[in-house]
């Protein structure tokens, strides 16, 4: 046991007590001893021997509760997973008994490693029905209850805890969710060891090329089942995809999946060394919890204001400590996977969401992840930099450092002016001046420093074999798509659709308008006849004057084209304003009181500024929403087909609930079926952003296919396109050509025609009038993607 990984050590220690408890429970079932729901769940607990049940429950609990940490894993979801695992194991046992071991093995090989798929296939073979959802919850909760009350750590304390937490609270309601969490002691013990024992193969990269996608359920992993689309139970979407011609989508996914990667060893060594030294640098979280203030004395508690502030501070710190734990687990997992695959060539199978946006299937370490993930990965193939590639490498480092609003020439010069810092970062990343940590993306900047120094020290930098991916990102890409749809001359200039000597920065443009309006309001006193609302806005302006910069409004500008609501915009800005108000001298209690009002005030001004700058985008968003509302009133989900032939069906329906009482807690099951009513407001508000997402994914697929035809490695993170430094110029040309090709098609006209054909009785509004922007200018715009 001492040689086992930490995870396996705990499984060994917990197995025997839980096995004994399950034996006793099965004895009570046979003796028909009374207990809540025993007559319902009892027969199903008798399907497997206690040892198999114990392993099944423990492995499921560790896999699903450890990474959520102190936030806990919802009991309902965990119970269903446990029950489905039990059902699959019991069904396979029955299959072996009825048809023999080899028949069961053949079926497993055909269906791949997917519990629900195995269950469905075996049930058809055995002619058995699926367990209903309420039964799954009762069976799963019975097993979880035994585990929670039996499994102890080495101190004799419960290793898992069941408790209730409040997820939503209003003036007239409180929403509570039961969760199961590993104890703090167990979390700390597991963090000391190797986490790979608890990682499912689906969470890991592949070491061979992914299986090419040839059908909706055939591609990606060799042995583990995957669907090409993440439908999340949206049966209409799955049925439509099965009937569609998906060849171009399959080809595009195969292009991305075949790109070979490897772990960037120097960056991994720095990250691991810093983590082992417990340094909280870059995105490595502190390994020490924030200290909670000591309890107030009885006399201090009598001061209600002080007691309230103490409560709020404790609540805030407790939430931050929970977040810290989750971040620690995440970093530990990423570093562990990187170490595991350090000597391998790795691949990432991809699939799409219902809108066509692409995602790697392994969720933990991939190029779509955080700065640490991206810094830890590089292309496996190497290409000589060439003169242009060396230039793009310098520009790339400037971009990663946050100096990305200047011209390309200025960015290149910015890097050349800092070669001393770059050399120091590459040669002494933790012992030098740590300049790389000042970058907006520190680990990626460190990787770029290493690559540039290695190239320069080679003596012939143009011949240096480079593996570093170079990124070209869209300029507020959602607005770029809207501007192209509307041929918006002014809006297009704001997001670099047209050529310019320097890149336009839409975030700074919106910020300037917001700052000016707040400054003007703060500089005056409200008139004597001002309304209460006007007086409050004047107070808010005085509070936030001087606190607004590009970072405060950036997320709201970015998400405005994706349908962000006023409530969403307010919350985004509140997150940025809280710390700024605290730094201005306001107490935590004062910030809690005014954060809502001040953020609502700033959000309102920000959305007004956007409406001023992007009239065409707003008109098209309104038209799309109006079309979706008309379709929803017909009782149908909004659906359309992308230019590449991908059918898209929005999944939003009214949800129902079913209350189930179990031995562990009362559970509310959310019922989501195709026969439920359409959720009209969600269909309406979600259609504009989903439609644009389907178009930005189309642009990416078109570019990927062009790059494949040229024999050039290419990958993407939505609107960020990546290739080797030597191939950036080729990629830039191709992505611009593909964008012009895409928007030269009558996209809105085709959408309107399809709606009129499908709903002939409905009166859809005319397409908004469009501007005169010439799409060909995109090909001449150096900062379109920059």
């Amino acid at each position: 046991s001492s040689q086992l990984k930490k995870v396996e050590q705990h499984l060994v220690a917990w197995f025997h007590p839980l096995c004994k408890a399950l034996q006793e429970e099965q004895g009570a079932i046979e003796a028909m001893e009374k207990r809540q729901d025993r007559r319902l769940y009892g027969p199903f607990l008798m399907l497997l021997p206690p040892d198999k049940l114990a392993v099944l429950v423990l492995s499921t609990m560790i896999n699903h509760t450890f990474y959520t940490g102190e936030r806990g894993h919802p009991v309902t979801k965990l119970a269903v997973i446990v029950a489905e695992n039990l059902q699959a194991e019991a069904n396979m046992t029955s299959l072996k008994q009825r048809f023999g071991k080899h028949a069961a093995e053949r079926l497993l090989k055909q269906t791949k490693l997917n519990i629900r798929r195995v269950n469905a296939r075996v049930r058809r073979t055995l002619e058995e029905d699926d367990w209903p959802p309420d039964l799954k919850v009762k069976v799963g909760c019975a097993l979880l209850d035994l585990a929670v009350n039996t499994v102890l750590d080495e101190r004799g304390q419960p290793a898992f805890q069941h408790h209730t937490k409040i997820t939503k609270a209003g003036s007239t309601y409180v929403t509570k969710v039961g969760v199961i969490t590993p104890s703090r002691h167990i979390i700390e013990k597991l963090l000391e060891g190797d986490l790979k024992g608890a990682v499912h193969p689906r969470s890991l990269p592949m070491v061979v090329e992914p299986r090419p996608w040839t059908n909706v359920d055939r591609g990606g992993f060799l042995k583990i089942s995957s669907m090409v689309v993440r439908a999340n139970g949206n049966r209409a979407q799955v049925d439509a995809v099965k009937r569609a011609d998906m060849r171009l989508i399959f080809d595009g996914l195969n292009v991305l999946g075949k790109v070979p990667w490897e772990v960037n060893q120097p960056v991994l060594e720095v990250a691991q060394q810093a983590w082992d030294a417990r340094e909280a640098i870059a995105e490595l979280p502190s390994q020490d919890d924030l200290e909670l203030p000591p309890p107030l004395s009885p006399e201090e508690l009598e001061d209600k204001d002080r007691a309230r502030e103490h409560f709020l501070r404790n609540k805030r710190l407790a939430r931050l400590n929970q977040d810290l734990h989750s971040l620690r687990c995440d970093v530990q997992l990423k570093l562990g996977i990187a170490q595991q695959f350090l000597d391998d060539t790795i691949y990432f199978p991809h699939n799409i969401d219902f809108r066509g946006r692409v995602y790697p299937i392994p969720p933990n370490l991939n190029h779509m992840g955080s700065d640490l993930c991206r810094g830890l990965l590089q292309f496996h193939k190497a290409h000589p930099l060439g003169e242009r590639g060396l230039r793009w490498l310098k520009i790339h480092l400037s971009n990663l450092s946050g100096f990305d609003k200047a011209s390309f020439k200025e960015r290149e010069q910015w890097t050349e002016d800092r070669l001393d810092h770059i050399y120091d970062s590459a040669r002494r990343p933790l012992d030098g001046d740590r300049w790389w940590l000042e970058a907006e993306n520190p680990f990626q900047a460190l990787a770029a420093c290493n690559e540039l120094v290695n190239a320069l020290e080679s003596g012939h930098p143009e011949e240096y074999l480079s593996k570093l991916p170079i990124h070209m990102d869209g300029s507020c890409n959602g607005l770029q798509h809207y501007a192209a749809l509307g041929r918006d001359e002014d809006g297009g200039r704001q997001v670099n659709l047209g050529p310019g000597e320097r890149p336009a920065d839409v975030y700074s443009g919106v910020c300037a308008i917001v700052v000016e309006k707040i400054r003007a309001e703060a500089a005056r006193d409200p008139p004597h006849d001002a309304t209460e609302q006007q007086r409050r806005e004047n107070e808010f302006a005085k509070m936030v004057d001087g606190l607004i910069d590009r970072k405060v409004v950036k997320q709201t500008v970015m998400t405005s084209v994706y349908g962000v609501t006023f409530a969403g915009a307010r919350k985004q800005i509140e997150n940025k304003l809280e710390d700024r108000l605290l730094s201005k001298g306001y107490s935590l209690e004062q910030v809690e009181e005014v954060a809502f009002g001040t953020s609502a005030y700033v959000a309102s001004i920000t959305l007004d500024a956007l409406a001023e700058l992007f009239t065409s985008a707003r008109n098209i968003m309104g038209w799309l929403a109006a079309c979706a509302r008309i379709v929803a009133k017909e009782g149908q989900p909004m659906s359309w087909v992308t230019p590449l032939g991908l059918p898209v069906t929005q999944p939003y329906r009214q949800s129902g609930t079913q209350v189930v009482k179990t031995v562990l807690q009362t559970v509310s099951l959310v019922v989501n079926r195709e026969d439920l009513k359409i959720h009209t407001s969600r269909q309406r508000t979600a259609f504009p952003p989903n439609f644009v997402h389907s178009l930005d994914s189309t642009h990416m697929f078109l570019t990927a296919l062009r790059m494949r035809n040229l024999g050039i490695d290419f990958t993407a993170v939505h609107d960020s396109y990546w290739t080797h430094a030597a191939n950036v110029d080729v990629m830039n040309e191709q992505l611009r050509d593909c964008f012009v090709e895409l928007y030269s098609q009558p996209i809105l006209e085709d959408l309107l025609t399809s709606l009129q054909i499908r709903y002939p009785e409905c009166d859809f509004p005319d397409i908004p009038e469009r501007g005169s922007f010439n799409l060909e200018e995109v090909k001449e715009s150096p900062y379109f993607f920059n």
Side-chain angles (χ1 to χ4, degrees):
S1 177
S2 63
Q3 302 303 314
L4 293 176
K5 300 170 186 173
K6 289 284 183 182
V7 173
E8 292 166 346
Q9 287 181 31
H10 286 293
L11 282 172
V12 170
W14 297 336
F15 170 76
H16 293 291
L18 182 56
C19 193
K20 182 179 179 182
L22 286 164
Q23 285 176 333
E24 293 173 354
E25 177 64 21
Q26 288 185 340
I29 293 167
E30 289 179 334
M32 292 187 289
E33 296 178 13
K34 289 186 177 180
R35 188 196 183 197
Q36 179 184 343
D37 288 338
R38 186 173 271 156
R39 63 185 181 82
L40 294 175
Y41 70 72
F44 298 92
L45 263 61
M46 301 298 291
L47 292 173
L48 294 177
D51 56 347
K52 281 192 176 183
L53 280 176
V55 171
L56 182 149
V57 173
L58 288 174
S59 61
T60 302
M61 290 180 74
I62 286 182
N63 267 312
H64 290 86
T65 66
F66 179 68
Y67 301 112
T68 55
E70 294 178 347
R71 288 179 298 154
H73 198 288
V75 167
T76 307
K77 293 181 179 179
L78 195 58
V80 169
I81 294 169
V82 168
E84 288 181 344
N85 289 342
L86 166 57
Q87 184 184 19
E89 187 66 37
N91 283 339
M92 287 304 299
T93 301
S94 297
L95 191 72
K96 289 175 184 178
Q97 291 171 349
R98 188 179 303 184
F99 299 104
K101 179 180 177 181
H102 295 300
E105 290 176 349
R106 282 197 304 272
L107 184 142
L108 264 179
K109 189 174 182 180
Q110 292 168 1
T111 54
K112 304 184 187 179
L113 302 178
N114 179 294
I115 289 297
R116 291 188 175 179
R117 185 176 286 262
V118 168
N119 260 336
R121 187 72 177 269
V122 175
R123 285 199 314 271
R124 287 197 298 271
T125 304
L126 298 175
E127 297 181 352
E128 291 188 0
D129 295 329
D130 191 15
W131 297 357
D134 56 337
L135 177 61
K136 289 180 181 178
V137 171
K138 287 181 182 292
V139 171
C141 282
L143 290 168
L144 292 174
D145 180 60
L146 283 171
V148 167
N149 291 302
T150 302
V151 175
L152 305 176
D153 61 28
E154 66 270 22
R155 305 171 305 161
Q157 299 297 314
F160 295 91
Q161 297 157 349
H162 169 243
H163 59 92
T164 303
K165 69 175 185 178
I166 296 174
T167 57
K168 292 181 182 178
S171 57
T172 59
Y173 71 93
V174 172
T175 302
K176 297 180 180 179
V177 173
V179 295
I180 289 179
T181 62
S183 70
R184 170 62 66 91
H185 179 73
I186 289 297
I187 289 169
E188 291 173 351
K189 287 292 183 182
L190 290 178
L191 272 175
E192 294 173 3
D194 184 354
L195 301 185
K196 296 196 286 284
V199 179
H200 189 278
R202 183 184 291 276
S203 300
L204 300 174
M206 298 180 68
V207 292
V208 296
E209 279 192 15
R211 187 182 188 186
W213 286 102
T214 57
N215 207 331
V216 294
D217 59 353
R218 193 173 302 125
F221 292 109
L222 303 185
K223 293 291 184 181
I224 303 174
S225 176
S226 299
M227 290 290 289
V228 74
V229 61
R230 304 180 181 199
N232 295 324
N234 183 1
R235 174 50 56 185
Q237 176 72 41
V238 174
D239 291 342
V241 166
K242 285 181 177 179
R243 293 192 300 268
D245 183 354
M246 296 281 288
R247 284 175 295 181
L248 290 175
I249 300 296
F250 293 157
D251 288 348
L253 290 173
N254 295 336
V255 169
L256 303 177
K258 288 182 178 180
V259 174
W261 297 82
E262 65 184 26
V263 173
N264 189 321
Q265 184 171 352
V267 175
L268 174 60
E269 289 174 353
V270 172
Q272 190 68 60
Q273 184 180 342
W275 180 253
D276 293 342
R278 303 179 68 86
E279 288 199 58
I281 61 172
E283 68 180 52
L284 300 183
S286 170
Q287 297 183 50
D288 299 310
D289 279 353
L290 300 171
E291 186 176 352
L292 299 177
L296 297 180
S297 66
E299 294 79 14
E300 291 171 322
L301 285 171
E302 292 179 4
D303 184 342
K304 291 185 178 180
D305 290 339
R306 185 170 183 181
R308 172 176 166 75
E309 185 165 356
H310 183 270
F311 169 76
L312 291 173
R313 186 177 296 276
N314 264 10
K315 182 180 177 182
R316 181 184 178 92
L317 290 173
R319 185 174 71 244
L320 290 172
N321 282 336
Q322 290 178 0
D323 293 341
L324 276 173
H325 166 77
S326 297
L327 291 171
R328 289 178 206 131
C329 292
D330 185 58
V331 167
Q332 185 86 343
L333 180 60
K334 288 176 169 57
L335 293 177
I337 294 173
Q339 292 284 4
Q340 180 180 355
F341 291 93
L342 180 58
D343 299 322
D344 294 307
T345 302
I346 56 179
Y347 300 85
F348 298 105
H350 290 67
N351 61 5
I352 58 175
D353 66 11
F354 74 96
R355 305 162 301 184
R357 278 202 142 187
V358 174
Y359 297 88
I361 299 175
N364 298 302
L365 179 67
N366 61 58
H367 59 285
M368 204 170 282
S370 61
D371 171 57
L372 175 62
C373 288
R374 298 181 186 193
L376 287 172
L377 294 171
Q378 63 185 13
F379 291 135
H380 173 68
K381 294 179 182 176
H383 287 282
L385 277 176
E387 182 180 347
R388 295 286 294 176
L390 180 63
R391 172 179 179 264
W392 284 119
L393 176 56
K394 294 174 182 177
I395 292 169
H396 180 61
L397 178 53
S398 171
N399 291 340
L400 295 171
S401 300
F403 189 74
D404 55 354
K405 312 300 179 298
S407 68
F408 286 138
K409 185 176 181 179
E410 289 168 331
R411 295 183 221 181
E412 184 180 4
Q413 187 62 49
W414 184 93
T415 297
E416 291 175 354
D417 291 343
R418 287 157 180 79
L419 284 177
D420 288 345
H421 289 304
I422 292 167
Y423 270 88
D424 183 77
S425 295
R427 295 296 170 246
R428 301 190 304 153
L430 295 177
D431 301 324
D433 61 18
R434 298 189 172 196
W435 174 81
W436 62 279
L437 287 174
E438 299 174 13
E440 283 190 2
N441 300 281
F443 284 111
Q444 293 177 82
L446 177 60
C449 288
N450 291 336
E451 196 81 347
L452 182 56
V453 168
N454 289 339
L456 295 175
E457 288 190 339
S458 70
H460 302 281
E462 292 83 2
E463 299 174 10
Y464 175 75
L465 296 175
S466 174
K467 297 182 176 182
L468 192 72
I470 304 299
H471 314 165
M472 289 286 109
D473 298 355
S475 305
C476 198
N477 191 238
L479 283 172
Q480 289 182 319
H481 286 277
Y482 273 118
L485 281 170
R487 302 295 195 273
D488 186 347
E489 186 83 30
D490 295 332
R493 301 289 177 201
Q494 289 285 337
V495 290
N496 296 303
L497 286 196
E501 294 183 3
R502 302 174 61 82
D505 180 25
V506 64
Y507 307 115
S508 296
V510 172
C511 180
I513 296 174
V514 174
V515 166
E516 182 56 37
K517 289 187 175 183
I518 290 174
R519 183 177 296 136
E521 180 64 31
R524 72 183 188 92
D525 292 324
H528 68 279
D529 59 346
T531 64
E532 180 62 26
Q533 176 66 21
Q534 289 171 331
R535 293 182 184 278
R536 291 288 289 169
E537 288 182 354
N538 186 262
E539 291 177 18
F540 294 148
K542 288 179 166 62
M543 294 181 75
V544 301
D545 187 26
L547 301 182
I548 307 302
D549 60 18
R550 183 179 182 273
K551 291 182 179 179
V552 174
V553 302
K554 179 177 179 178
Q555 189 178 10
T556 301
V557 175
M558 190 183 304
T559 56
S560 64
V561 292
Y562 297 133
V564 68
T565 62
F566 175 77
R570 187 206 63 75
K571 186 63 179 175
Q572 291 168 349
I573 289 172
E574 181 182 29
N575 294 336
K576 300 292 185 183
L577 282 182
E578 282 184 345
D579 290 338
R580 295 165 190 245
L581 288 168
L582 287 170
S583 66
K584 198 173 180 179
Y586 292 98
S587 69
L588 182 63
E589 185 178 14
Q590 288 174 314
V591 171
E592 293 277 352
E593 289 178 354
V594 303
F596 186 95
T598 53
S599 58
Y601 170 66
V602 176
S604 176
I605 295 176
T606 303
L607 293 176
D608 288 345
L610 276 164
E612 290 178 22
L613 287 175
F614 294 96
T615 305
S616 177
R618 286 287 169 186
N619 290 341
I620 292 176
M621 286 176 66
W623 180 79
L624 292 171
C627 291
R629 182 174 60 249
I630 293 170
V631 172
K633 284 183 177 179
E634 295 295 307
Q636 296 297 318
M638 190 65 193
S639 59
W640 65 101
V641 178
T642 72
L644 283 183
L646 174 69
V648 182
T649 302
Q650 294 194 147
Y652 316 114
R653 295 178 181 272
Q654 303 282 354
S655 60
T657 57
Q658 177 184 0
V659 177
V660 181
K661 290 185 178 181
T662 75
V663 296
L664 195 61
Q665 67 173 60
T666 299
V667 167
S668 292
L669 286 176
V670 176
V671 181
N672 189 7
R673 300 190 308 268
E674 295 296 315
D675 59 348
L676 293 173
K677 291 183 178 179
I678 292 297
H679 198 303
T680 304
S681 63
R682 288 201 68 191
Q683 289 285 343
R684 175 181 57 81
T685 58
F687 178 48
N690 285 340
F691 185 70
V692 168
H693 278 314
S694 74
L695 293 176
D696 70 40
S697 76
T698 300
H699 178 218
M700 190 281 298
F701 272 119
L702 289 171
T703 306
L705 294 172
R706 284 278 194 95
M707 296 290 278
R708 176 203 61 182
N709 294 340
L710 294 172
I712 297 174
D713 281 340
F714 169 87
T715 193
V717 180
H718 303 318
D719 63 341
S720 178
Y721 294 3
W722 299 13
T723 192
H724 288 86
N727 297 323
V728 169
D729 288 313
V730 177
M731 182 179 74
N732 278 337
E733 180 182 356
Q734 297 305 318
L735 71 87
R736 283 160 175 77
D737 287 350
C738 289
F739 189 85
V740 173
E741 175 189 328
L742 173 63
Y743 284 102
S744 296
Q745 301 177 45
I747 293 174
L748 296 182
E749 288 80 1
D750 288 347
L751 174 64
L752 179 58
T753 300
S754 72
L755 292 174
Q756 290 170 337
I757 292 173
R758 284 182 288 153
Y759 306 100
E761 303 300 319
C762 295
D763 184 18
F764 292 96
D766 292 335
I767 297 171
E769 184 179 348
R770 279 170 282 189
S772 57
F773 178 75
N774 180 7
L775 280 176
E776 290 295 320
E777 291 189 36
V778 171
K779 296 180 180 180
E780 308 303 322
S781 173
Y783 301 108
F784 171 56
F785 270 54
N786 74 95

